PDB file of all heavy atoms in Angstrom:
ATOM      1  N   TRP J  12       4.113  32.134   5.940  1.00 98.00           N
ATOM      2  CA  TRP J  12       4.930  33.247   5.464  1.00 98.00           C
ATOM      3  C   TRP J  12       5.205  34.290   6.541  1.00 98.00           C
ATOM      4  O   TRP J  12       6.042  35.172   6.355  1.00 98.00           O
ATOM      5  CB  TRP J  12       4.245  33.921   4.277  1.00 98.00           C
ATOM      6  CG  TRP J  12       4.236  33.113   3.026  1.00 98.00           C
ATOM      7  CD1 TRP J  12       4.707  31.836   2.846  1.00 98.00           C
ATOM      8  CD2 TRP J  12       3.727  33.523   1.760  1.00 98.00           C
ATOM      9  NE1 TRP J  12       4.517  31.433   1.551  1.00 98.00           N
ATOM     10  CE2 TRP J  12       3.916  32.452   0.853  1.00 98.00           C
ATOM     11  CE3 TRP J  12       3.115  34.686   1.284  1.00 98.00           C
ATOM     12  CZ2 TRP J  12       3.519  32.519  -0.488  1.00 98.00           C
ATOM     13  CZ3 TRP J  12       2.722  34.752  -0.038  1.00 98.00           C
ATOM     14  CH2 TRP J  12       2.926  33.689  -0.922  1.00 98.00           C
ATOM     15  N   VAL J  19       2.367  42.761  -2.805  1.00 97.00           N
ATOM     16  CA  VAL J  19       1.562  41.727  -3.440  1.00 97.00           C
ATOM     17  C   VAL J  19       2.291  41.142  -4.641  1.00 97.00           C
ATOM     18  O   VAL J  19       2.152  39.945  -4.949  1.00 97.00           O
ATOM     19  CB  VAL J  19       0.174  42.280  -3.836  1.00 97.00           C
ATOM     20  CG1 VAL J  19       0.289  43.308  -4.960  1.00 97.00           C
ATOM     21  CG2 VAL J  19      -0.763  41.146  -4.242  1.00 97.00           C
ATOM     22  N   ALA J  22       4.537  38.594  -3.322  1.00 97.00           N
ATOM     23  CA  ALA J  22       3.731  37.461  -2.860  1.00 97.00           C
ATOM     24  C   ALA J  22       3.353  36.558  -4.035  1.00 97.00           C
ATOM     25  O   ALA J  22       3.415  35.333  -3.943  1.00 97.00           O
ATOM     26  CB  ALA J  22       2.473  37.961  -2.156  1.00 97.00           C
ATOM     27  N   VAL J  26       4.274  32.605  -4.823  1.00 95.00           N
ATOM     28  CA  VAL J  26       3.211  31.636  -5.097  1.00 95.00           C
ATOM     29  C   VAL J  26       3.601  30.692  -6.228  1.00 95.00           C
ATOM     30  O   VAL J  26       3.313  29.486  -6.180  1.00 95.00           O
ATOM     31  CB  VAL J  26       1.888  32.351  -5.436  1.00 95.00           C
ATOM     32  CG1 VAL J  26       0.909  31.387  -6.104  1.00 95.00           C
ATOM     33  CG2 VAL J  26       1.259  32.910  -4.180  1.00 95.00           C
ATOM     34  N   LYS J  27       4.243  31.215  -7.242  1.00 91.00           N
ATOM     35  CA  LYS J  27       4.602  30.390  -8.400  1.00 91.00           C
ATOM     36  C   LYS J  27       5.471  29.201  -8.006  1.00 91.00           C
ATOM     37  O   LYS J  27       5.407  28.135  -8.630  1.00 91.00           O
ATOM     38  CB  LYS J  27       5.321  31.248  -9.447  1.00 91.00           C
ATOM     39  CG  LYS J  27       4.426  32.288 -10.111  1.00 91.00           C
ATOM     40  CD  LYS J  27       5.192  33.090 -11.147  1.00 91.00           C
ATOM     41  CE  LYS J  27       4.292  34.126 -11.805  1.00 91.00           C
ATOM     42  NZ  LYS J  27       5.027  34.943 -12.829  1.00 91.00           N
ATOM     43  N   ALA J  45      -5.305  37.966  -3.289  1.00 97.00           N
ATOM     44  CA  ALA J  45      -4.453  37.806  -4.467  1.00 97.00           C
ATOM     45  C   ALA J  45      -3.840  36.412  -4.521  1.00 97.00           C
ATOM     46  O   ALA J  45      -3.806  35.771  -5.583  1.00 97.00           O
ATOM     47  CB  ALA J  45      -3.358  38.871  -4.471  1.00 97.00           C
ATOM     48  N   LYS J  51      -3.565  27.331  -7.897  1.00 97.00           N
ATOM     49  CA  LYS J  51      -4.280  26.374  -8.740  1.00 97.00           C
ATOM     50  C   LYS J  51      -4.330  24.982  -8.103  1.00 97.00           C
ATOM     51  O   LYS J  51      -5.286  24.235  -8.298  1.00 97.00           O
ATOM     52  CB  LYS J  51      -3.608  26.268 -10.115  1.00 97.00           C
ATOM     53  CG  LYS J  51      -3.482  27.590 -10.846  1.00 97.00           C
ATOM     54  CD  LYS J  51      -4.839  28.221 -11.107  1.00 97.00           C
ATOM     55  CE  LYS J  51      -4.676  29.551 -11.857  1.00 97.00           C
ATOM     56  NZ  LYS J  51      -5.979  30.243 -12.030  1.00 97.00           N
ATOM     57  N   ALA J  53      -2.450  24.255  -4.675  1.00 97.00           N
ATOM     58  CA  ALA J  53      -2.310  24.336  -3.219  1.00 97.00           C
ATOM     59  C   ALA J  53      -3.575  24.883  -2.581  1.00 97.00           C
ATOM     60  O   ALA J  53      -4.386  25.548  -3.232  1.00 97.00           O
ATOM     61  CB  ALA J  53      -1.118  25.220  -2.857  1.00 97.00           C
ATOM     62  N   PRO J  67     -17.453  44.954  17.376  1.00 98.00           N
ATOM     63  CA  PRO J  67     -16.449  45.987  17.695  1.00 98.00           C
ATOM     64  C   PRO J  67     -15.126  45.369  18.135  1.00 98.00           C
ATOM     65  O   PRO J  67     -14.765  45.399  19.317  1.00 98.00           O
ATOM     66  CB  PRO J  67     -17.126  46.772  18.831  1.00 98.00           C
ATOM     67  CG  PRO J  67     -17.948  45.738  19.541  1.00 98.00           C
ATOM     68  CD  PRO J  67     -18.462  44.827  18.458  1.00 98.00           C
ATOM     69  N   THR J  69     -11.562  45.784  16.819  1.00 98.00           N
ATOM     70  CA  THR J  69     -10.617  46.459  15.937  1.00 98.00           C
ATOM     71  C   THR J  69      -9.399  45.598  15.609  1.00 98.00           C
ATOM     72  O   THR J  69      -8.747  45.046  16.493  1.00 98.00           O
ATOM     73  CB  THR J  69     -10.145  47.776  16.586  1.00 98.00           C
ATOM     74  OG1 THR J  69     -11.288  48.590  16.870  1.00 98.00           O
ATOM     75  CG2 THR J  69      -9.206  48.530  15.656  1.00 98.00           C
ATOM     76  N   SER J  73     -12.426  37.536  11.149  1.00 98.00           N
ATOM     77  CA  SER J  73     -13.251  36.395  11.540  1.00 98.00           C
ATOM     78  C   SER J  73     -13.104  35.222  10.575  1.00 98.00           C
ATOM     79  O   SER J  73     -12.613  35.366   9.449  1.00 98.00           O
ATOM     80  CB  SER J  73     -14.723  36.810  11.599  1.00 98.00           C
ATOM     81  OG  SER J  73     -15.237  37.023  10.286  1.00 98.00           O
ATOM     82  N   ALA J 134       9.261  15.818  30.371  1.00 97.00           N
ATOM     83  CA  ALA J 134       8.798  17.144  30.779  1.00 97.00           C
ATOM     84  C   ALA J 134       8.125  17.855  29.608  1.00 97.00           C
ATOM     85  O   ALA J 134       7.115  18.547  29.781  1.00 97.00           O
ATOM     86  CB  ALA J 134       9.976  17.971  31.297  1.00 97.00           C
ATOM     87  N   LYS J 136       6.529  16.399  27.123  1.00 98.00           N
ATOM     88  CA  LYS J 136       5.222  15.760  26.931  1.00 98.00           C
ATOM     89  C   LYS J 136       4.197  16.308  27.926  1.00 98.00           C
ATOM     90  O   LYS J 136       3.049  16.568  27.556  1.00 98.00           O
ATOM     91  CB  LYS J 136       5.356  14.245  27.098  1.00 98.00           C
ATOM     92  CG  LYS J 136       6.105  13.563  25.974  1.00 98.00           C
ATOM     93  CD  LYS J 136       6.261  12.075  26.252  1.00 98.00           C
ATOM     94  CE  LYS J 136       7.023  11.372  25.143  1.00 98.00           C
ATOM     95  NZ  LYS J 136       7.231   9.931  25.439  1.00 98.00           N
ATOM     96  N   THR J 166      15.807  29.414  14.769  1.00 82.00           N
ATOM     97  CA  THR J 166      17.168  29.356  15.285  1.00 82.00           C
ATOM     98  C   THR J 166      18.139  28.689  14.319  1.00 82.00           C
ATOM     99  O   THR J 166      19.351  28.804  14.476  1.00 82.00           O
ATOM    100  CB  THR J 166      17.213  28.567  16.606  1.00 82.00           C
ATOM    101  OG1 THR J 166      16.820  27.203  16.356  1.00 82.00           O
ATOM    102  CG2 THR J 166      16.272  29.183  17.631  1.00 82.00           C
ATOM    103  N   LYS J 171      15.748  16.852  17.100  1.00 93.00           N
ATOM    104  CA  LYS J 171      16.178  15.556  16.586  1.00 93.00           C
ATOM    105  C   LYS J 171      14.953  14.837  16.036  1.00 93.00           C
ATOM    106  O   LYS J 171      13.947  14.702  16.754  1.00 93.00           O
ATOM    107  CB  LYS J 171      16.825  14.739  17.698  1.00 93.00           C
ATOM    108  CG  LYS J 171      18.113  15.346  18.239  1.00 93.00           C
ATOM    109  CD  LYS J 171      18.673  14.505  19.377  1.00 93.00           C
ATOM    110  CE  LYS J 171      19.963  15.130  19.919  1.00 93.00           C
ATOM    111  NZ  LYS J 171      20.507  14.344  21.052  1.00 93.00           N
ATOM    112  N   SER J 175      11.234  14.121  17.850  1.00 96.00           N
ATOM    113  CA  SER J 175      10.002  14.734  17.368  1.00 96.00           C
ATOM    114  C   SER J 175       8.987  13.669  16.973  1.00 96.00           C
ATOM    115  O   SER J 175       7.777  13.843  17.151  1.00 96.00           O
ATOM    116  CB  SER J 175      10.292  15.651  16.174  1.00 96.00           C
ATOM    117  OG  SER J 175      10.800  16.895  16.621  1.00 96.00           O
ATOM    118  N   CYS J 186      -4.347  12.654  22.353  1.00 97.00           N
ATOM    119  CA  CYS J 186      -5.574  13.195  21.773  1.00 97.00           C
ATOM    120  C   CYS J 186      -6.650  12.119  21.659  1.00 97.00           C
ATOM    121  O   CYS J 186      -7.836  12.383  21.883  1.00 97.00           O
ATOM    122  CB  CYS J 186      -5.291  13.796  20.396  1.00 97.00           C
ATOM    123  SG  CYS J 186      -4.419  15.377  20.443  1.00 97.00           S
ATOM    124  N   GLU J 231      14.261  26.295  -2.350  1.00 95.00           N
ATOM    125  CA  GLU J 231      14.269  25.585  -1.076  1.00 95.00           C
ATOM    126  C   GLU J 231      12.919  24.909  -0.815  1.00 95.00           C
ATOM    127  O   GLU J 231      12.855  23.747  -0.425  1.00 95.00           O
ATOM    128  CB  GLU J 231      14.589  26.572   0.047  1.00 95.00           C
ATOM    129  CG  GLU J 231      14.659  25.968   1.437  1.00 95.00           C
ATOM    130  CD  GLU J 231      16.034  25.442   1.815  1.00 95.00           C
ATOM    131  OE1 GLU J 231      16.938  25.500   0.967  1.00 95.00           O
ATOM    132  OE2 GLU J 231      16.183  24.974   2.941  1.00 95.00           O
TER     133      GLU J 231
END
Side-chain angles (χ1 to χ4, degrees):
W12 289 3
V19 68
V26 164
K27 292 181 180 180
K51 304 300 180 185
T69 303
S73 71
K136 289 177 181 177
T166 64
K171 295 178 180 179
S175 280
C186 286
E231 181 88 357

